[in-house]
Amino acid sequence: MVFSLLNFSCAEAQSLKKEFSKQDILKGSITPERAWWDLNHYDLKVDINPEDEFISGSNTVTYTVLEPNEKIQIDLQEPMKLLRATQNGKELEIDKQGLAHFISLKEKQKKGEQYQLLLKFEGKPRVGARLPWDGGWTWQKDAQGKTFAANANQGIGASIWWPNKDIPYDEADSLDLYITVPKDIMGVGNGRLVDSSSTETKSTYHWLVKNPINNYAVSADLADYAHFSDSYEGENGTLDLNFYVLKENLEKAKSHFKDVPRMLQAFEHWFGPYPFYEDGYKLVEVPYLGMEHQSNVTYGNKYENGYLGRDLSGTGWGLKFDFIIIHESGHEWFANNITNKDVADMWVHEGFTAYSENLFLDYHYGKEAAADYVIGTRNAIRNDRPIIGIYGVDYEGSGDMYYKGANVLHTVRQLIEDDEKWREILRGLNKEFYHKTVTSAQVEQYISDQSGIDLSQFWDQYLRTTQIPLLQYKTEGKTLKFRYLDIIDGFDMPVKIQVNGSESWIYPTAEWKTEEFQNPIEDVAVDRNFYLESKKVN
């Protein structure tokens, strides 16, 4: 998801004493009615009526039984309605409890066997007031008065418009998406366009996703699109690039979207091959800022560099690229390839992707430019609450997951002190956890193991508290005295400093330490690349 320039006030600033409802638990936990089955495939068919803002359709859910059970949980949020559920032609009883629909199965569910569940649904889905941050659909018109509509539902969940297993730990291994729309517009979905068909009034577009896909990445974008294509010779061969834009923006897009191959060059270098060659890459214009929909990155940054023309870092480097193209495409590696099991660990999506902006600059403009940028984004950090949220209740961490997360990763790069090893670690993450759902703990442990550095206290300090280490120091002749304040027990991150213009490492802890130098100390500067505070004391 994109970083918001608006202040996070109420919800973001709530304390960890927040009380959670039964609905929070039903949405955010692996309930018994979710745990017993493994999701295999969605066959999702939607008939969209833009004039009435109405959607009807069906979803055939294919799953494998892990342990026998008699009830299955399917999620769909009001005002959408789950009309019926059937298995092998038999009508099933539905117990609706808010968004959760507990369906009683009549057929015995045998361990290891595969089954299908047919769901029929309809309704007017929630309209988002401020997409992509609040989630929902937006129904607009283009300059010719034709429908220009799309959805974005990270956070609130895909169940705002179609019934599914709406929790990130279990992804569909593949997806067939059929979008039926009025004949004067097109419906663009994820993956590749298999075929299309038309009647006198409607057209249906069949999109196929061959790779695992998280629910919130499923997207339907509606407009009278102009289409153009290209290809990229990448690490895994030829990658198909497809672009869908409003017709009045076609020439502008052909020029502006040249950031896409530049993005692929940088990210394949740092992260490894684009994770979805079989499904291709698409950039699709929509009537909101943008979103990381898998193999269907949505775009609404008004064909400007920066974030709607602004540089989030305040350094000038943020105007060297289109923020939405770079950031949302970075999510193909971190969010879509590697996906959090619980939204409490969403920093794995947003921290790494915010950091990818820095790595794009590193690849094309150099290490110092990249450092300027990521350090400049510290102005967005609030330290209101921890980056990691609360597990099992659909509760994300602080919005600091973006740029505090990026600066934490930038600090790890300094600790490793070997850029090639750091690159191998980032590529290794995308190989080790290829097309998988993960916990933050798994990612933390992988980086610790591969770096050869015990980062346990480091992760706990930066991800699970709001404290930023304060390095206190004082000088007495040739002696430098230093210690950390505002740290957890055991935190002992080394830090690079310059003394009288010469580089040196020191190893602070909570206790005062001393370091002797050859000459009287006149000047001490802490390396700006380390995310900490420093203060000289008498």
Side-chain angles (χ1 to χ4, degrees):
M1 183 187 286
V2 292
F3 178 79
S4 176
L5 289 174
L6 303 176
N7 288 328
F8 295 83
S9 52
C10 50
E12 284 279 332
Q14 290 176 5
S15 75
L16 296 181
K17 296 180 181 179
K18 172 181 169 67
E19 293 184 2
F20 296 98
S21 67
K22 180 181 178 181
Q23 284 298 300
D24 293 326
I25 296 169
L26 289 177
K27 190 170 189 289
S29 66
I30 304 175
T31 62
E33 293 80 10
R34 282 170 165 164
W36 66 270
W37 56 287
D38 176 47
L39 175 60
N40 302 145
H41 182 79
Y42 289 128
D43 191 90
L44 177 60
K45 299 177 180 178
V46 289
D47 189 328
I48 304 175
N49 181 343
E51 290 306 311
D52 295 331
E53 300 179 1
F54 190 86
I55 297 176
S56 60
S58 67
N59 185 21
T60 301
V61 182
T62 303
Y63 64 92
T64 299
V65 176
L66 303 176
E67 293 293 339
N69 203 305
E70 297 177 350
K71 284 191 177 180
I72 189 169
Q73 179 180 339
I74 294 293
D75 305 304
L76 185 64
Q77 299 179 43
E78 295 179 342
M80 298 299 291
K81 295 179 181 179
L82 185 60
L83 301 176
R84 59 191 299 223
T86 59
Q87 190 165 71
N88 289 331
K90 297 178 181 178
E91 191 91 16
L92 305 176
E93 181 181 331
I94 302 172
D95 176 18
K96 180 179 181 299
Q97 297 183 26
L99 91 160
H101 296 69
F102 296 99
I103 301 170
S104 297
L105 303 170
K106 294 181 178 180
E107 185 173 347
K108 185 176 180 180
Q109 307 290 297
K110 298 178 181 178
K111 184 175 181 177
E113 294 292 318
Q114 193 174 75
Y115 296 85
Q116 290 188 329
L117 182 68
L118 175 60
L119 308 167
K120 298 279 189 178
F121 64 98
E122 68 176 21
K124 299 181 70 169
R126 169 192 169 112
V127 173
R130 198 169 63 90
L131 263 60
W133 302 289
D134 61 347
W137 274 78
T138 183
W139 309 92
Q140 308 293 331
K141 299 287 186 181
D142 67 12
Q144 283 68 47
K146 292 186 177 182
T147 294
F148 187 31
N151 66 284
N153 42 249
Q154 185 182 25
I156 193 171
S159 57
I160 62 159
W161 67 285
W162 59 284
N164 59 78
K165 189 178 189 178
D166 204 1
I167 188 168
Y169 87 96
D170 190 11
E171 296 184 339
D173 301 323
S174 56
L175 166 76
D176 280 280
L177 174 60
Y178 299 81
I179 305 172
T180 299
V181 291
K183 199 172 181 179
D184 65 336
I185 60 173
M186 183 178 185
V188 177
N190 309 81
R192 293 184 182 275
L193 182 61
V194 176
D195 58 41
S196 62
S197 59
S198 297
T199 65
E200 289 185 4
T201 58
K202 294 182 179 183
S203 295
T204 298
Y205 298 88
H206 176 197
W207 299 87
L208 173 62
V209 177
K210 292 185 177 180
N211 291 290
I213 183 169
N214 59 66
N215 287 349
Y216 83 83
V218 177
S219 179
D221 312 314
L222 317 182
D224 181 20
Y225 283 119
H227 167 248
F228 65 100
S229 61
D230 200 350
S231 63
Y232 176 77
E233 295 304 320
E235 291 192 17
N236 279 359
T238 302
L239 174 63
D240 294 334
L241 310 178
N242 284 281
F243 306 95
Y244 294 87
V245 300
L246 295 182
K247 289 179 176 177
E248 60 262 34
N249 294 327
L250 179 59
E251 294 309 313
K252 189 188 303 184
K254 285 181 177 179
S255 172
H256 191 76
F257 286 177
K258 289 178 181 178
D259 259 357
V260 170
R262 296 176 74 226
M263 171 276 297
L264 289 164
Q265 287 172 353
F267 290 169
E268 287 210 330
H269 171 81
W270 282 106
F271 302 145
Y274 174 74
F276 309 106
Y277 269 74
E278 300 89 343
D279 296 324
Y281 172 93
K282 285 194 298 300
L283 193 62
V284 184
E285 187 172 2
V286 293
Y288 62 86
L289 188 55
M291 193 68 188
E292 66 257 27
H293 299 126
Q294 185 173 311
S295 65
N296 179 16
V297 175
T298 50
Y299 176 85
N301 201 39
K302 302 185 184 302
Y303 300 94
E304 295 181 314
N305 277 358
Y307 180 112
L308 292 172
R310 297 177 61 179
D311 174 11
L312 293 180
S313 74
T315 65
W317 290 112
L319 297 178
K320 295 293 186 182
F321 60 92
D322 186 309
F323 176 91
I324 291 300
I325 294 176
I326 303 310
H327 180 91
E328 302 305 340
S329 298
H331 275 305
E332 294 283 45
W333 284 264
F334 292 97
N336 296 336
N337 185 39
I338 303 174
T339 308
N340 54 229
K341 286 187 175 180
D342 189 300
V343 297
D345 287 335
M346 194 181 286
W347 91 275
V348 174
H349 295 196
E350 302 300 352
F352 279 88
T353 303
Y355 183 59
S356 77
E357 301 158 26
N358 160 72
L359 293 179
F360 173 85
L361 286 167
D362 189 299
Y363 184 87
H364 288 290
Y365 299 97
K367 194 170 181 177
E368 285 305 306
D372 287 347
Y373 178 84
V374 73
I375 292 167
T377 62
R378 291 177 187 171
N379 60 43
I381 300 172
R382 296 160 298 144
N383 284 309
D384 56 343
R385 55 189 179 88
I387 286 177
I388 290 182
I390 302 174
Y391 295 97
V393 287
D394 192 50
Y395 193 72
E396 303 167 8
S398 167
D400 284 347
M401 70 178 78
Y402 289 80
Y403 290 121
K404 183 177 179 182
N407 275 279
V408 167
L409 293 170
H410 186 62
T411 302
V412 174
R413 180 180 183 177
Q414 314 313 311
L415 295 173
I416 291 173
E417 211 180 5
D418 182 336
D419 287 346
E420 188 54 37
K421 177 182 279 191
W422 181 228
R423 177 174 171 247
E424 289 173 1
I425 289 172
L426 295 173
R427 290 174 66 94
L429 279 168
N430 279 279
K431 186 176 181 180
E432 177 73 16
F433 302 115
Y434 182 72
H435 292 174
K436 291 180 181 178
T437 60
V438 301
T439 63
S440 177
Q442 287 176 284
V443 171
E444 295 164 37
Q445 190 63 51
Y446 181 87
I447 295 175
S448 290
D449 290 345
Q450 298 302 312
S451 67
I453 305 171
D454 183 357
L455 294 168
S456 303
Q457 281 75 31
F458 175 90
W459 296 124
D460 286 345
Q461 173 82 32
Y462 283 106
L463 301 182
R464 297 176 176 87
T465 82
T466 58
Q467 294 178 295
I468 302 305
L470 172 62
L471 176 66
Q472 281 190 334
Y473 66 93
K474 52 187 173 182
T475 60
E476 296 175 1
K478 299 179 182 180
T479 302
L480 177 68
K481 294 186 176 182
F482 52 87
R483 70 172 178 179
Y484 276 135
L485 293 179
D486 300 332
I487 58 173
I488 63 171
D489 289 344
F491 182 85
D492 60 354
M493 178 180 73
V495 61
K496 191 184 295 184
I497 63 171
Q498 286 193 338
V499 176
N500 298 337
S502 296
E503 191 175 276
S504 181
W505 282 88
I506 58 174
Y507 299 84
T509 64
E511 306 300 323
W512 282 105
K513 288 186 172 184
T514 61
E515 190 81 24
E516 297 294 326
F517 292 85
Q518 290 183 342
N519 301 307
I521 299 171
E522 298 179 358
D523 180 67
V524 177
V526 178
D527 189 327
R528 67 179 186 142
N529 292 292
F530 290 77
Y531 181 47
L532 51 74
E533 303 290 341
S534 63
K535 183 179 182 181
K536 184 177 182 179
V537 295
N538 296 322

